[in-house]
Amino acid sequence: MNINRRNFLKGTTAAMVLSSFGAYGIDLMHSEKPIRVGLIGTGWYGKSDLFRLIQVANVDVISLCDVDKNMLADAAELVSQRQKSEKKPRLYSDYRKMLAEKDLDMVLIGSPDHWHALQGIEALQSGAHVYLQKPISVDVIEGEALVAAAKKYGKVIQVGTQRKSTPHLIEAKKNIVDAGLLGKVSHVEMCCYYHMRDTGVRSPQPVPDFFDYDMWTGPAPLREFDGLPHRRWRAFMEYGNGIMGDMCVHMLDTVRWMLDLGWPRRISSSGGIYVQKDADANIADTQTAIFEYEDLDCVWNHRSWGTPADPDYPWSFKLYGDKGTLLGSVMQYEFIPEGDGNNIQKDVIYEREKYPEDLTEKDIELHAAPATRGHMLDFLAAIDQGTKPIANIQEGHISTASCILANMAMELKRPVVYNQESMTVLDDPEATKLLQRGYREGWEHPVPGMFQ
């Protein structure tokens, strides 16, 4: 085993791996044969995911794909500096050509949301395992197609809902929730009060030569070009599902994992653009949603304006039990018992000493790096052992689709009840039609029947 075990065990991720996978996990991190990897979408989070994988596994990054030639070239240079071989990957502007090579063991997908389902399915068809950023789809039927495709092709998909691999939240689940310290949980609050909605107003402009806007748009509606859409695309419903689909999916997924919840029995939502009316953005700046379970409501609130309800927990979940309350976020957790007991509090874990390169990486989320490393290790273990990863595609679909359904409920101004077996909204033909978006001409929307 090519590793200094004593130095390895100093890292928090290493300790988590040892506790989760035993000595096998250490071997997994340092296998002799490199994993052949490709990345679609070399922007901020695509590179971040790839660099975390490079840190914990023996990989050979074979291919990179992006429609922005400048971003692609920069990513290739960074990858050559990071990976052991020091080689620059092959570069592609069309992901279909990259996947047609059929020479990848694993594909990471960090493209905008409107691409996730198509690229995920085609990566599976190429014979690769897939690390798919959340949300897995922009409509519910895309998600159902992904679930069906994963089953047909027998490959592993790990969804990028890495809160399940966040060390302090793993501890909270084990020592607070699973230990029964909360008692019966009968109310959950989730929120995001980040000022993350784009408030700009822009004029049309020519598409630069280095950017393929038609390919970037793909199956989505072709909006008039008003500047590079990098990260700004999140402000438009054409490409995603707003703050609900972007941020609630993480917290809802975490709550479902903590409490072992499946599909909500019913979903309702209200909201809209209440404050930031002058911006080009068309996503809701204010929204409330209720995900109903038996004897339990999980309530989501977001505002992209004003102050957070709790400044210490601006993006968070709160589990209310009859014996105590658990507050959790990406940065910390706190358990507040009923009565005279002592609070239990734990902060996020960083790994600056073991991974000093984190400190100089542009735009890195330092608090999320250990979680993503752990998530990658869980993904690798699932591939190696033929098991389900912690963020498997069905769980990712439930969390994604629930947020999409909340947006539908807000649009329709009535609750919705989704049935996965029939893939319909019960007793609501109008809502059922909204489960599948139209694709731009030239692109075929995937449906589950393609993979039976």
Side-chain angles (χ1 to χ4, degrees), residues 17 19 137 260 277 312 436:
V17 171
S19 64
S137 62
D260 193 24
K277 295 179 181 291
D312 291 331
Q436 179 174 326

Side-chain angles (χ1 to χ4, degrees), residues 55-107:
Q55 288 175 322
V56 300
N58 181 15
V59 302
D60 187 3
V61 183
I62 302 294
S63 307
L64 299 176
C65 178
D66 205 290
V67 296
D68 185 323
K69 293 179 181 178
N70 293 346
M71 187 178 288
L72 187 62
D74 289 344
E77 181 63 31
L78 289 171
V79 169
S80 70
Q81 296 169 12
R82 289 284 192 127
Q83 67 175 344
K84 293 177 183 178
S85 69
E86 300 182 353
K87 293 180 181 178
K88 286 188 177 181
R90 296 194 303 256
L91 305 182
Y92 298 83
S93 60
D94 189 329
Y95 75 94
R96 296 169 296 188
K97 293 181 179 179
M98 183 184 101
L99 295 178
E101 304 281 1
K102 296 186 182 295
D103 59 357
L104 299 172
D105 302 314
M106 180 188 300
V107 173

Side-chain angles (χ1 to χ4, degrees), residues 399-424:
S399 296
T400 295
S402 295
C403 293
I404 294 170
L405 290 162
N407 281 341
M408 288 172 49
M410 179 177 67
E411 178 183 345
L412 294 168
K413 295 181 172 55
R414 59 178 178 267
V416 295
V417 176
Y418 181 67
N419 181 276
Q420 187 176 24
E421 185 175 347
S422 63
M423 287 182 278
T424 63

Side-chain angles (χ1 to χ4, degrees), residues 16-29:
M16 185 171 69
V17 171
L18 190 61
S19 64
S20 300
F21 305 116
Y24 161 78
I26 301 175
D27 293 330
L28 183 66
M29 293 178 69

Side-chain angles (χ1 to χ4, degrees), residues 191 193 303 307-316 318 327 332 334:
C191 69
Y193 298 118
R303 279 186 281 105
T307 59
D310 183 344
D312 291 331
Y313 290 88
W315 180 38
S316 64
K318 298 179 179 180
L327 290 65
Q332 60 191 326
E334 183 175 8

